Amino acid sequence: MTVVLVLAVLVLLGTSLWLLHESRHAHDPVVSFVKGTPGLMEIAYLRDGRERVADTVIVRMLELRRIELGPDGRVTVLDPVPDNAVERALFRSCGTDWGSTLPGLHFDLRTDAQVLALEDPLVRRGLLIPPGRMKPWRWAARLQVASLVMTALLSLLLLGLGRAGVFASVLPWIALVLVVAGIVLRVKCHPEWIGHELTAEGRAFVGKLRDDGWDSTDPATHPAGLAGVVALHGVDAIEDEELRKQLRKAAGSAGTSFRSSAAGSAAAASSSSSSSSSSSGGSSCGTACSSCSSHSSHSCSSSSCSSCGGGGCS
């Protein structure tokens, strides 16, 4: 048993060193190959992945009165004019009858190739850790946790048996100290299990956004209106209670949408044009959009709103 504990301690030390190495390697600087400022949809993806993008594009289309949302959760297209690939994906999801349920639309957007393609330009800008670095980091974290559990159990078992000898009696306590140190390391080197993780440059970019007025939760003063509020803060920052509840419900219905099969075909149909999404956020906009009113359709109280080309915030 003592020999087994020694081996477990060695494995724990090895996996802990591996975790530390992968954590540092994942955060190595990423060379930027893309110029320009990320647009609204890319900012939403940077903040919370494809779910945030779905919320943002839906709210933006409501602001511009291009779609209407009824109290029953039915989405109706009013003006099918997209400014970028993500907005095209929204209208494509509505089909030939120009309508959809909000949960179905939200699900289709989360799984659309154009939304998934937003990650690549963010990686090439050096704002997101490349997926190739995240995978070994996650594996190192999993194995380190397994070695922590095994070492702790063996240590407690040896203490319970009360083995004679100085080495046999002291080794479990040394192993438990190493377990505690391993837990501290695990907390400090914790990877994101789902989605992505920002680089140091990505965190600096988000910080600069906040300094530039994006931290506001007031659509009237936010540089990108209500859609910008949602992109940075999520749907919880929406004052309209009914709209907030409907978006929360739609986000929680993943996998239950009756349109899930349609989402797969739409994503496949759009995969050939996924490269165009890298230009969807090439510019940013400093003008504020009008805020949405809280009447039952959740449409924008103003019939017009200035927009930026190429998918930038507007």
Side-chain angles (χ1 to χ4, degrees):
M1 184 66 71
T2 302
V3 174
V4 175
L5 180 56
V6 171
L7 293 176
V9 168
L10 293 176
V11 172
L12 173 58
L13 292 174
T15 54
S16 296
L17 290 174
W18 185 28
L19 174 60
L20 181 61
H21 168 75
E22 293 298 339
S23 175
R24 289 180 174 177
H25 175 62
H27 288 93
D28 285 343
V30 179
V31 179
S32 176
F33 295 100
V34 178
K35 302 298 183 182
T37 304
L40 178 62
M41 300 306 159
E42 289 180 320
I43 290 171
Y45 193 96
L46 192 66
R47 290 294 292 150
D48 198 23
R50 59 183 187 268
E51 290 81 6
R52 185 67 60 84
V53 174
D55 291 328
T56 301
V57 69
I58 290 170
V59 170
R60 174 164 167 75
M61 293 297 92
L62 288 170
E63 276 193 299
L64 299 181
R65 288 191 57 83
R66 295 179 186 175
I67 63 173
E68 183 179 68
L69 177 61
D72 59 348
R74 181 72 183 176
V75 176
T76 303
V77 176
L78 302 178
D79 185 18
V81 180
D83 291 331
N84 55 61
V86 176
E87 292 175 10
R88 282 196 296 273
L90 182 149
F91 292 126
R92 182 173 61 249
S93 176
C94 291
T96 56
D97 60 349
W98 297 113
S100 174
T101 63
L102 184 60
L105 179 61
H106 201 281
F107 180 84
D108 285 355
L109 286 169
R110 292 198 302 265
T111 56
D112 193 275
Q114 300 294 354
V115 175
L116 298 176
L118 291 172
E119 181 179 60
D120 182 62
L122 291 171
V123 170
R124 290 189 287 123
R125 278 191 174 97
L127 302 178
L128 288 181
I129 293 177
R133 295 185 185 179
M134 292 298 298
K135 187 174 181 179
W137 186 13
R138 293 186 181 114
W139 269 110
R142 291 188 183 100
L143 293 178
Q144 198 249 7
V145 169
S147 64
L148 283 171
V149 173
M150 179 175 293
T151 304
L153 290 177
L154 288 172
S155 300
L156 294 175
L157 182 59
L158 273 178
L159 287 174
L161 292 175
R163 291 296 182 89
V166 176
F167 181 73
S169 60
V170 173
L171 178 62
W173 293 107
I174 297 175
L176 288 175
V177 171
L178 293 175
V179 167
V180 173
I183 292 173
V184 173
L185 176 66
R186 175 66 176 77
V187 171
K188 293 179 67 68
C189 298
H190 171 67
E192 290 289 338
W193 294 111
I194 300 175
H196 55 264
E197 184 154 324
L198 276 64
T199 62
E201 291 78 8
R203 291 191 293 271
F205 173 75
V206 172
K208 186 177 183 300
L209 280 177
R210 296 182 184 278
D211 294 338
D212 290 343
W214 278 68
D215 204 33
S216 172
T217 56
D218 182 0
T221 60
H222 197 285
L226 183 60
V229 172
V230 172
L232 196 68
H233 301 287
V235 297
D236 289 341
I238 298 176
E239 292 185 1
D240 188 329
E241 183 178 357
E242 186 178 353
L243 177 58
R244 185 172 66 248
K245 286 182 178 179
Q246 289 208 51
L247 286 171
R248 282 176 177 173
K249 182 178 179 182
S253 62
T256 61
S257 170
F258 71 93
R259 296 174 60 86
S260 57
S261 60
S265 60
S270 64
S271 60
S272 61
S273 62
S274 62
S275 61
S276 64
S277 66
S278 62
S279 63
S280 66
S283 62
S284 60
C285 178
T287 58
C289 292
S290 58
S291 59
C292 278
S293 63
S294 58
H295 56 74
S296 61
S297 67
H298 302 292
S299 59
C300 191
S301 59
S302 172
S303 61
S304 64
C305 180
S306 61
S307 63
C308 294
C313 60
S314 59

